[in-house]
Amino acid sequence: MVGREWKAVWVVGNATERRDIPDATVSRLPEYLRALTTLIEQGVASVSSEELASMVGVSSAKLRKDLSYLGSYGVRGVGYDVDHLSYQISLALGLTRTWAIAIVGMGNLGRALAAYNGFASRGVEVMALLDHHPSVIGTQIAGLTVEPFADLPRIARERGIAIALLATPARSTQEVADAVVAAGITAILNFAPISIDVPGGVQVRNVDLATEVQILAFHQQQRARGSADAAGALAEVLP
Amino acid sequence: MVGREWKAVWVVGNATERRDIPDATVSRLPEYLRALTTLIEQGVASVSSEELASMVGVSSAKLRKDLSYLGSYGVRGVGYDVDHLSYQISLALGLTRTWAIAIVGMGNLGRALAAYNGFASRGVEVMALLDHHPSVIGTQIAGLTVEPFADLPRIARERGIAIALLATPARSTQEVADAVVAAGITAILNFAPISIDVPGGVQVRNVDLATEVQILAFHQQQRARGSADAAGALAEVLP
DNA sequence: GTGACTTTGTGCATTCGTTCACAAGGAAGG
DNA sequence: CCTTCCTTGTGAACGAATGCACAAAGTCAC
């Protein structure tokens, strides 16, 4: 039933509608893609689920299940064709086109993001650097000129910016986010340590450096506690 | 039953053993803590689960369940005491002490991390900046002197470094990770776009900027596809 | 061709996480 | 002291994600 419809779309063109890929799977696809890119560079033509899974540190069953949501691109008894699988994942993720992004906030983090060279090779192009501070506007960073934040609406329209990276101070971030949304951008990657309010239909992901460290700290402490427990239990027996 | 035992431990001392807090909950605790800190700054003394939940963008039921893993710190009919809850979360996360971290790799990202001022207020102190490139060693960044990566074992020992942040180029990251582990550090926050192999017992979290953007791109594309479907379906009817 | 061998794809069971809905507990006012 | 009101804390239902185990489907050697 759905199968036939799907095939039709497939034959007709590009926009192959895949049924709801689970979120957990989506978040792993970029890692698989990264590993496959490495294999391509090494000239490896074929890979088994076991090998690929160990490269990214997941179980082979999980990997196979993840890939099965995209379709059946493996060959039983052999494995996956590296090039083809890489292409299919790119397709699923929507990376056969380039995504234009803008970085807002040219502090230390904004500069680092601007200079980050992991974007270009992975379907993402930095198309604008924005700040509202006059002393930064007009300066060159990583080959781009910093432009006034107030120009975002025009810039977003002209260059087709689809995603904004916010590397602004916490206190002004909500305001910036509002302006970004008003400029018609519907996807935000927020690096500020604050959670922002956006209208429905706008996507936000947060990356908070301190949060990550705190999660590590928690587990470290758990472990310390665990090894202290033997001694602790003993101590409690004594009055 | 458990209550009594728990109380005993509480009375005796500090190391209150909390039963397995779920991972999903742990990853949200830092956000609750952040919101509570904001409330403290604003002089708010008490908060309901509804209010706090909306601040961090989760449902109030989820918030209450999360907090219930730490214990019963709310007052029915009233809400939570902001100071006390903040303290309890800090305690649970192990943030009543300061965690010494080292940053390895003084490229753009490493510098940005070194200058990041969100750490100090959240129980994390940057105690060492390391690089192996002679031209960077000895320079000052954010008030610290960059030291040779080769000195890590001594530095880690002397300063009690518990966590390492890796901001190194992808190709040298595995090697660096090996050295970090050899220096006795058992928690790593990896910013390099590569997955690293570590011995059991060593904790790794990955933060990959391009991955985050790709996940956003996926959802953007899904949405574009969705709205194109009406037109697409129509187009398919025509020959 | 045919049989032995390898590795995928997936149904099923299980574990983990979220949501619902309400009883329990406490405050506040008369 | 008693009643009313509000919000927590949590069992129970649900849903998502993971892990297991094996049939299905292919390759390759002969």
Side-chain angles (χ1 to χ4, degrees):
Chain A
M1 37 169 238
V2 171
R4 194 142 62 98
E5 201 175 281
W6 186 86
K7 211 138 206 172
V9 174
W10 174 253
V11 170
V12 167
N14 43 7
T16 79
E17 183 66 26
R18 287 180 187 64
R19 212 150 347 290
D20 60 327
I21 304 177
D23 282 350
T25 295
V26 171
S27 70
R28 283 187 295 265
L29 288 179
E31 312 200 33
Y32 301 153
L33 188 54
R34 221 170 55 187
L36 288 167
T37 305
T38 306
L39 290 174
I40 290 173
E41 281 165 9
Q42 293 171 356
V44 177
S46 172
V47 69
S48 71
S49 64
E50 196 65 55
E51 290 164 335
L52 187 55
S54 91
M55 282 182 75
V56 307
V58 301
S59 75
S60 64
K62 198 191 268 186
L63 172 69
R64 286 199 303 276
K65 181 144 291 196
D66 282 343
L67 296 184
S68 77
Y69 292 113
L70 310 187
S72 246
Y73 300 121
V75 179
R76 295 176 193 224
V78 175
Y80 299 88
D81 179 87
V82 172
D83 278 318
H84 186 234
L85 184 56
S86 165
Y87 172 72
Q88 289 298 341
I89 295 179
S90 294
L91 195 64
L93 284 173
L95 299 176
T96 48
R97 56 165 279 195
T98 297
W99 292 85
I101 69 173
I103 301 175
V104 185
M106 286 294 117
N108 286 298
L109 185 56
R111 283 161 207 266
L113 293 173
Y116 183 61
N117 52 20
F119 287 136
S121 58
R122 301 206 263 157
V124 175
E125 188 176 3
V126 181
M127 294 288 281
L129 304 180
L130 304 165
D131 203 303
H132 84 298
H133 204 283
S135 67
V136 203
I137 295 169
T139 61
Q140 294 273 123
I141 296 177
L144 284 171
T145 304
V146 179
E147 297 170 88
F149 180 62
D151 292 354
L152 180 59
R154 176 182 56 77
I155 292 171
R157 205 178 337 111
E158 288 175 4
R159 305 181 202 168
I161 307 278
I163 301 173
L165 274 48
L166 305 192
T168 47
R171 70 185 166 288
S172 48
T173 299
Q174 179 62 58
E175 201 180 326
V176 168
D178 292 344
V180 164
V181 171
I185 293 174
T186 55
I188 293 175
L189 186 55
N190 174 34
F191 289 88
I194 190 174
S195 49
I196 57 181
D197 255 359
V198 295
V202 177
Q203 223 196 137
V204 178
R205 289 184 72 84
N206 295 294
V207 176
D208 182 349
L209 307 174
T211 291
E212 297 295 325
V213 177
Q214 288 175 338
I215 294 170
L216 283 171
F218 170 81
H219 291 290
Q220 287 294 97
Q221 174 225 31
Q222 286 293 95
R223 207 165 49 148
R225 225 172 242 182
S227 54
D229 265 5
L234 196 61
E236 270 164 41
V237 173
L238 306 170
Chain B
M1 40 170 236
V2 170
R4 196 143 62 96
E5 198 176 283
W6 186 87
K7 212 139 204 171
V9 174
W10 173 256
V11 169
V12 167
N14 45 7
T16 79
E17 182 67 27
R18 288 180 186 63
R19 216 147 343 290
D20 59 329
I21 303 177
D23 281 350
T25 295
V26 171
S27 70
R28 283 186 295 264
L29 289 179
E31 312 200 32
Y32 301 153
L33 188 55
R34 222 169 54 188
L36 288 167
T37 304
T38 305
L39 290 174
I40 289 174
E41 280 164 10
Q42 293 172 356
V44 177
S46 171
V47 69
S48 71
S49 64
E50 196 65 55
E51 291 165 333
L52 187 55
S54 92
M55 283 182 75
V56 307
V58 302
S59 75
S60 65
K62 199 192 265 188
L63 172 69
R64 287 200 302 278
K65 179 138 291 198
D66 282 343
L67 295 183
S68 77
Y69 292 113
L70 310 188
S72 246
Y73 300 121
V75 180
R76 294 172 193 227
V78 176
Y80 300 88
D81 178 87
V82 172
D83 278 319
H84 186 233
L85 184 57
S86 165
Y87 172 71
Q88 289 299 340
I89 295 179
S90 293
L91 195 63
L93 285 173
L95 299 176
T96 47
R97 55 164 279 194
T98 298
W99 292 85
I101 68 172
I103 302 176
V104 185
M106 285 296 117
N108 287 297
L109 184 56
R111 283 161 208 267
L113 293 173
Y116 183 62
N117 52 21
F119 286 136
S121 58
R122 300 206 265 157
V124 175
E125 188 176 2
V126 180
M127 293 288 280
L129 304 179
L130 304 166
D131 204 303
H132 84 299
H133 204 284
S135 67
V136 203
I137 295 170
T139 61
Q140 293 275 121
I141 296 177
L144 285 172
T145 304
V146 179
E147 298 170 87
F149 179 63
D151 292 354
L152 179 60
R154 176 182 56 78
I155 293 171
R157 204 178 336 112
E158 286 176 6
R159 305 182 201 166
I161 307 278
I163 302 173
L165 274 51
L166 306 192
T168 46
R171 70 185 166 290
S172 48
T173 298
Q174 179 61 58
E175 202 179 328
V176 169
D178 293 343
V180 164
V181 171
I185 294 173
T186 55
I188 294 176
L189 186 54
N190 174 35
F191 289 87
I194 189 173
S195 48
I196 57 180
D197 256 359
V198 295
V202 177
Q203 226 196 135
V204 178
R205 288 184 72 83
N206 296 293
V207 176
D208 182 349
L209 308 174
T211 291
E212 296 296 324
V213 177
Q214 288 175 338
I215 295 171
L216 283 170
F218 169 81
H219 292 290
Q220 287 295 97
Q221 173 226 30
Q222 286 293 96
R223 206 165 51 146
R225 225 172 242 183
S227 57
D229 266 4
L234 196 63
E236 272 166 37
V237 173
L238 307 170

